[in-house]
Amino acid sequence: MIKLAEVTLENEMDVVLSGQKFLKITELLHLNLSTRSTFASAVSEVVRVMTEHTDHGVLQLGIVEQDRRQKLICKICYPADEPPIDPDLFMYAKKLVPFFDTHKTAEKIIVEFSIGLPKSLNLNRLKIQQIAEALEQNGPVSPYEVLKISKNELTAKAELQEAELRASKVMNELKSEFISMASHELKTPITILKAYGQLALSPKVKTVEQAQSIVAKMNAQCVKLSTLALQLLDSAKIEIGQLEYKMTPVDFVSYLHQTIEDLRHLIPHHTLVVDCADTYTIRIDQLRMEQVLSNLLSNAGKYSESGTSIHLCTKNDYENKLLIFSIKDEGIGISPDGITKIFQKFHREPEVLSKHSGLGMGMYIAAKIVDAHGGDIWVESTTGEGSTFHISLPFA
């Protein structure tokens, strides 16, 4: 249907407005007086019934082509969750037009009726479009429509402002939660560093081995602080679109083996099983992709028992020209609700909050990096059985 006019049906004044809209259309179509009055009576009758039963109706007038013939059609719908209107109330309107139908979809109940247009009008898509443009240029057909348009604009602005206020409130709550969480996560390694620093300066440390052990522990906390700081910085860059990438073509399997060797220290208590398909060249930012791999591997180790295996494999989807690599663990898994939120900023599963530190930023950043490479990231998981993260990247 090519829509020519639309009216929201809220009260009895819209019966008049609908009639005025219809008459304006029939004038531009040059329909004869008999056709105008017949169809106008049907429109007015249906709209009258509709406004008596609901204030959520919407009327559309337009032209549709059926069986190689163009028809003037009126379609009126209202929400499906409202009580249906007794079909007998449309009996008079049914007698006026050759086609009248009422049907229901999941969201709305639709009443539509139509009448054939004379072939002598020689209508085509261009002419119909010109009629639609003429109706728009003519503007409101009555002072009531002017008020109605103003009211709808004010309502839309009010709803927009309300939505913005709700969004602002949510963002402020998230910011407060994030600041609290970030302060806690940063405070922990700083406190530990301070404690080890004081211990290193105390007389209790008498051997080189004791000093080296303390330095190693301090170094681990420094790495943690560095990771947290980088996540905060990357998140800020993502928000303003300034996370930079240096794309280069690489033999991915060779890159993967080299990167894994550099990242094995992240999972010292797990067995890493690697199964790679034939190599393929893709374009990536090697440092950013290492960041993704680092996050996935460290998470796999963090959320699975020592001694379990972590599987990394690649395969080539030649039909869609994609390289897919997956990292599978045998850990605690992710809840169905968590799967839908895992790539959202600040999200952390409730059951791990007290056991594992973190900002809930890693997977969010990883997803943004993969997206910037033109790829996709998704997860399959069963609670208590482990998770598998998949990443697809396009061939170069």
Side-chain angles (χ1 to χ4, degrees), residues 27-313:
E27 285 175 11
L28 293 169
L29 286 171
H30 303 294
L31 296 182
N32 61 50
L33 185 60
S34 174
T35 302
R36 291 187 196 181
S37 59
T38 301
F39 204 78
S41 297
V43 171
S44 297
E45 182 64 16
V46 175
V47 172
R48 180 188 63 78
V49 172
M50 192 69 63
T51 54
E52 288 177 355
H53 285 79
T54 177
D55 54 1
H56 297 107
V58 178
L59 172 143
Q60 292 182 341
L61 291 164
I63 294 177
V64 65
E65 186 170 334
Q66 294 176 343
D67 303 323
R68 298 184 180 180
R69 185 177 181 185
Q70 287 159 333
K71 298 180 179 181
L72 181 62
I73 187 169
C74 175
K75 183 182 291 187
I76 304 174
C77 62
Y78 62 98
D81 57 0
E82 294 192 6
I85 298 173
D86 184 352
D88 290 342
L89 295 174
F90 298 126
M91 194 60 66
Y92 175 69
K94 287 181 180 179
K95 294 178 181 179
L96 296 172
V97 291
F99 171 79
F100 193 104
D101 180 56
T102 301
H103 58 278
K104 183 177 180 179
T105 67
E107 297 180 351
K108 54 191 175 183
I109 298 173
I110 301 169
V111 177
E112 60 181 0
F113 51 96
S114 62
I115 191 168
L117 293 172
K119 291 184 178 179
S120 59
L121 294 178
N122 294 319
L123 289 174
N124 54 39
R125 183 169 288 273
L126 178 60
K127 286 184 178 180
I128 297 171
Q129 193 62 45
Q130 288 173 341
I131 291 172
E133 291 172 358
L135 286 166
E136 187 175 351
Q137 290 172 0
N138 287 340
V141 297
S142 68
Y144 169 70
E145 188 179 10
V146 174
L147 292 173
K148 190 179 179 79
I149 291 171
S150 299
K151 172 181 169 290
N152 290 340
E153 288 177 349
L154 288 172
T155 300
K157 287 180 180 178
E159 290 175 350
L160 179 61
Q161 289 175 345
E162 187 177 343
E164 288 175 346
L165 285 172
R166 287 197 301 267
S168 177
K169 183 179 179 181
V170 170
M171 285 304 299
N172 285 333
E173 289 174 353
L174 284 173
K175 286 178 182 178
S176 298
E177 182 183 350
F178 172 69
I179 290 170
S180 175
M181 184 170 55
S183 299
H184 172 74
E185 294 298 332
L186 292 169
K187 182 179 178 181
T188 301
I190 290 173
T191 302
I192 295 173
L193 274 172
K194 183 178 179 181
Y196 280 129
Q198 291 173 342
L199 180 59
L201 294 172
S202 74
K204 294 181 180 179
V205 179
K206 298 178 180 178
T207 65
V208 173
E209 289 77 11
Q210 288 177 321
Q212 288 178 335
S213 175
I214 292 172
V215 170
K217 292 173 181 176
M218 293 177 70
N219 183 63
Q221 296 304 315
C222 288
V223 170
K224 183 177 180 180
L225 271 175
S226 176
T227 301
L228 291 172
L230 285 173
Q231 286 186 349
L232 291 170
L233 182 60
D234 283 344
S235 175
K237 288 181 177 179
I238 288 170
E239 290 298 315
I240 59 176
Q242 291 186 355
L243 195 62
E244 298 178 352
Y245 297 90
K246 185 179 180 181
M247 301 294 197
T248 56
V250 299
D251 178 313
F252 189 73
V253 172
S254 298
Y255 164 79
L256 195 58
H257 281 296
Q258 179 183 340
T259 305
I260 288 170
E261 288 304 312
D262 295 336
L263 299 177
R264 277 188 183 273
H265 69 279
L266 296 173
I267 47 172
H269 306 298
H270 297 78
T271 302
L272 182 60
V273 181
V274 181
D275 180 17
C276 291
D278 294 337
T279 189
Y280 213 93
T281 300
I282 60 173
R283 289 181 61 82
I284 60 171
D285 181 312
Q286 296 185 47
L287 290 176
R288 290 298 178 191
M289 196 53 61
E290 180 179 334
Q291 192 174 348
V292 174
L293 284 165
S294 172
N295 191 280
L296 293 177
L297 282 174
S298 61
N299 277 0
K302 182 191 297 185
Y303 300 118
S304 57
E305 295 289 339
S306 297
T308 57
S309 296
I310 295 172
H311 299 262
L312 188 153
C313 68

Side-chain angles (χ1 to χ4, degrees), residues 334-352:
I334 306 169
S335 68
D337 182 59
I339 289 175
T340 65
K341 300 176 181 178
I342 191 69
F343 300 110
Q344 293 179 8
K345 189 193 294 186
F346 310 144
H347 174 71
R348 301 191 68 219
E349 288 286 86
E351 56 269 23
V352 304

